Amino acid sequence: MNNRAADSMLGLARRAGAAESGLFLTLEAIRGGKALLVILAEDAKKNTVKQVTDKCRSYHVPLRVYGTAEGLGHALGQEERSCLAITKSGFADKLSDLLEERNPVG
């Protein structure tokens, strides 16, 4: 499940300051109204999945499931990351397009 275009876009988003990664920062971005798209790793822990899914539903933030925590971290140039929030519309739109066909989440 490798998508080079999505991985490259994630790296660009982080370098542009358009990505908040990790559970705490992701939830904070959702609650603060900054999250335009949330990406969750396939292998995220059940508690993380529940927290992120519930917050995205409550705040009407689109959610996509993509890759592994190790893969997301690698794409961001960081350690493992189970979730991240995209906070700039251009990046959110492009990533949503890249991931939508493969992993739409209600």
Side-chain angles (χ1 to χ4, degrees):
M1 185 175 248
N2 184 19
N3 185 333
R4 283 188 162 168
D7 288 349
S8 293
M9 189 60 58
L10 287 170
L12 285 172
R14 187 196 60 81
R15 289 189 296 281
E20 298 287 343
S21 65
L23 181 59
F24 178 79
L25 292 176
T26 299
L27 294 176
E28 192 174 84
I30 296 169
R31 283 191 293 264
K34 294 193 296 183
L36 302 175
L37 174 69
V38 171
I39 299 172
L40 186 63
E42 296 169 348
D43 59 352
K45 295 181 177 163
K46 288 181 184 180
N47 186 43
T48 299
V49 171
K50 179 169 177 22
Q51 288 183 63
V52 171
T53 302
D54 289 350
K55 282 290 181 233
C56 284
R57 279 192 190 124
S58 293
Y59 288 84
H60 307 289
V61 176
L63 173 65
R64 300 286 181 264
V65 176
Y66 173 69
T68 63
E70 182 180 357
L72 285 178
H74 182 73
L76 294 169
Q78 300 176 331
E79 306 241 345
E80 287 187 4
R81 294 289 188 249
S82 60
C83 59
L84 63 108
I86 302 298
T87 59
K88 292 190 180 172
S89 63
F91 289 105
D93 292 345
K94 183 64 176 172
L95 281 162
S96 187
D97 289 346
L98 288 170
L99 301 176
E100 189 168 20
E101 290 181 22
R102 296 175 42 212
N103 299 317
V105 175

